Structures are given as structure tokens and as C-alpha cells.
């Protein structure tokens, strides 16, 4: 019952909060398992190697899921606090111009870009030693979202902390990029590479969106296909593809009767959802209502 209640609350949250909760849930799980393993006398158990991206290409082939899991995994409380604070802030700015499906897709795409540059950097650049600790954290995804909105709307005015006068978003993101390269030591090389990968994805996204091209379309199509497949498995036995069960002549007659014209309030609700989350977020019923209203 508790798990069902948590799932319902999670499903009802805004998408931005879902991303944050996934990161928080992951660090709680990682730390709980780590504590249990320490209490059982197994300090050698290292969960991070199974969720983080290894710097060695041969290890990556044996753990192909890590480019997806690492972007939700943290172990340091400071690390997750800073990342989630930035994710919330730049995510809110991103949603001023784009929808929630694009936010999730860019988060994943930025993380994948960070993993690609991270592994490619260690394979191609003359870096002396590969990292023993795998790459974890949402930094690459956050950089992708921040750079995307900075490229798309560089002159968006913001107020930040103690600054009295608003200033352009591009200057704040420029400071973020400069700070990315201020770390010293070989332990920061992996983070720099991942940040660079996320930044490249974000710049590409913002640049292409200025031209009207959404580079996350294919990824959202994959998400939709996975969701449709999951819905088919969850469908009750004997339920037809359309999702309607016919019980007796009354149901059949109601199915064959002409559909009532949608009300103006119903259309307004669907249009608001369309503006907020995009056409892909509409159900088939809502799409049919919009189509029916467009014929008038």
C-alpha cells in the first residue's frame, strides 16, 4: 500500500520534480545499501561501479546500462544538493520556452553526451591514468539544459541572489562554464569531460531550436513507443486494442451512436495542456476532440 501511495504521488508530480525525486531516491538507495554492506562486514562492495560510467571502454561494454543510470546517481550530499538546485532553477527557465517532454529528453540526451565525451576523452586524449572511480551525477544533464536555454534566449532577464538589477542569462551561464574548468587535479578531468559533453548537446539544441528543429524528437518517439508497449502489457485480458470493453447491447449502441460535440471548456483544457506539454502528451481521445473541433 505504501509503495502504491508513493507511486501515485510521484506520478502526480510535475515532471521537473520527478527528475529531482529520481535523483534523491537514487542517492537514498545507494547510501542505504552501502550502510547495510558496511554493517555486514563487506566494505569492498562498491555499488558505484555498477551505476556509474567507467572510464575504460572495455568495462563499459560489460556495463552498457551505466550511461543511463549514472545521470541519476550521486553519493555526496553536497554534489546532489548543488546539482538539484541548478536543475530546478534552469529547468524552470527552460519550461518558459519549451515543454516537459523536451525537458526530459534533453536531460537524457545531455547525460548521454557527457558519457560519450567522458569515455571518448580517456580513449583518445593523452591522459595518464584512467579513473578508478566511475562517473556519476547529473552535471552533464544540467549543463545541457542551461546551455540550451542560454543559446536559445541569451537575453532573458533574470534576478539572482543579492543582485539588485536584472541581467542577461548568458552572463550567468558564462560564469558556470568558466567555473567548470577551475578544478585542479586529475580527479577533475572526468568531470570536465562530462560537463563539456553536456554543454555541446545544450548548445546544439538551442541553436537548432532557433531554426525550428528539435533534436530530441527521435528520443521522445522512443519514449512514446516504450510507453505504448508498457500500456499493452498492462491492458486487462480480453480488452480490445482500442481500450474499450463492450458489455451487452447498451455498450454497443453507445459506441455506434454519434459523438457529442465537445464543449468549449473541454477544448480550452486540452489547448492549455497542448501549450504546456506539447502535442505528444495528449491522449488519443484528446487528439480526436481537437480534430473534431478543427473541422467546424
Amino acid at each position: 500500500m505504501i509503495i502504491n501511495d508513493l507511486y501515485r504521488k510521484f506520478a502526480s508530480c510535475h515532471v521537473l520534480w520527478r527528475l529531482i525525486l529520481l535523483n534523491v531516491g537514487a542517492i537514498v538507495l545507494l547510501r542505504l545499501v552501502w550502510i547495510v554492506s558496511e554493517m555486514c562486514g563487506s566494505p569492498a562492495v562498491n555499488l558505484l561501479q555498477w551505476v556509474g560510467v567507467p572510464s575504460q571502454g572495455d568495462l563499459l561494454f560489460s556495463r552498457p546500462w551505466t550511461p543511463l543510470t549514472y545521470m541519476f546517481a550521486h553519493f555526496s550530499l553536497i554534489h546532489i544538493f548543488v546539482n538539484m538546485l541548478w536543475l530546478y532553477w534552469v529547468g524552470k527557465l527552460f519550461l518558459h520556452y519549451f515543454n516537459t517532454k523536451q525537458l526530459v529528453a534533453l536531460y537524457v540526451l545531455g547525460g548521454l553526451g557527457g558519457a560519450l565525451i567522458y569515455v571518448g576523452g580517456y580513449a583518445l586524449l593523452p591522459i595518464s591514468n584512467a579513473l578508478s572511480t566511475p562517473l556519476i551525477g547529473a552535471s552533464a544533464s544540467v549543463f545541457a539544459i542551461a546551455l540550451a536555454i542560454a543559446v536559445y534566449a541569451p537575453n532573458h532577464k533574470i534576478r539572482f541572489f543579492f543582485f539588485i538589477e536584472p541581467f542577461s542569462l548568458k552572463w550567468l551561464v558564462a560564469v558556470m562554464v568558466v567555473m567548470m574548468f577551475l578544478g585542479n587535479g586529475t580527479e577533475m578531468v572526468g568531470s570536465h569531460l562530462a560537463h563539456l559533453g553536456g554543454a555541446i548537446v545544450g548548445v546544439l539544441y538551442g541553436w537548432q531550436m532557433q531554426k525550428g528543429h528539435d533534436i530530441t524528437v527521435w528520443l521522445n518517439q522512443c519514449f512514446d513507443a516504450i510507453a505504448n508497449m508498457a500500456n499493452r502489457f498492462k491492458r486487462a485480458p480480453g480488452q480490445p486494442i482500442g481500450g474499450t470493453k463492450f458489455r451487452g447491447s447498451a455498450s454497443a449502441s453507445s459506441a455506434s451512436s454519434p459523438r457529442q460535440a465537445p464543449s468549449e471548456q473541454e477544448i480550452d483544457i486540452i489547448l492549455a495542456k497542448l501549450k504546456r506539454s506539447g502535442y505528444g502528451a495528449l491522449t488519443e481521445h484528446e487528439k480526436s476532440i481537437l480534430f473534431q473541433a478543427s473541422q467546424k
Side-chain angles (χ1 to χ4, degrees), residues 36-52:
V36 171
S37 66
E38 288 284 335
M39 293 175 63
C40 294
S42 302
V45 175
N46 186 4
L47 283 179
L48 298 184
Q49 65 181 341
W50 298 107
V51 297

Side-chain angles (χ1 to χ4, degrees), residues 63-199:
R63 304 165 192 169
W65 60 85
T66 54
L68 285 176
T69 56
Y70 95 96
M71 66 184 75
F72 297 98
H74 300 77
F75 199 75
S76 166
L77 296 180
I78 296 296
H79 190 196
I80 190 173
F81 176 77
V82 173
N83 275 349
M84 294 304 100
L85 188 65
W86 277 109
L87 175 60
Y88 177 78
W89 193 75
V90 299
K92 294 283 285 186
L93 286 177
F94 184 90
L95 292 174
H96 277 294
Y97 297 93
F98 308 109
N99 60 50
T100 54
K101 294 188 69 173
Q102 291 168 319
L103 174 66
V104 174
L106 184 59
Y107 181 97
V108 174
L109 201 59
L112 293 176
L116 177 63
I117 299 299
Y118 172 77
V119 176
Y122 274 98
L124 301 176
L125 298 178
I127 301 174
S128 57
N129 296 315
L131 290 178
S132 58
T133 304
L135 175 69
I136 59 172
S139 302
S141 300
V142 173
F143 264 91
I145 297 171
L147 268 293
I149 193 63
V151 171
Y152 184 80
N155 296 316
H156 181 100
K157 297 297 183 181
I158 56 174
R159 292 183 180 275
F160 195 68
F161 291 132
F162 52 83
F163 291 97
I164 300 177
E165 293 295 327
F167 56 95
S168 298
L169 175 63
K170 59 186 177 185
W171 297 116
L172 176 62
V173 176
V175 172
M176 288 177 60
V177 173
V178 171
M179 292 178 62
M180 178 180 69
F181 294 101
L182 290 183
N184 296 317
T186 57
E187 70 277 1
M188 295 297 297
V189 173
S191 298
H192 292 341
L193 291 172
H195 295 165
L196 178 61

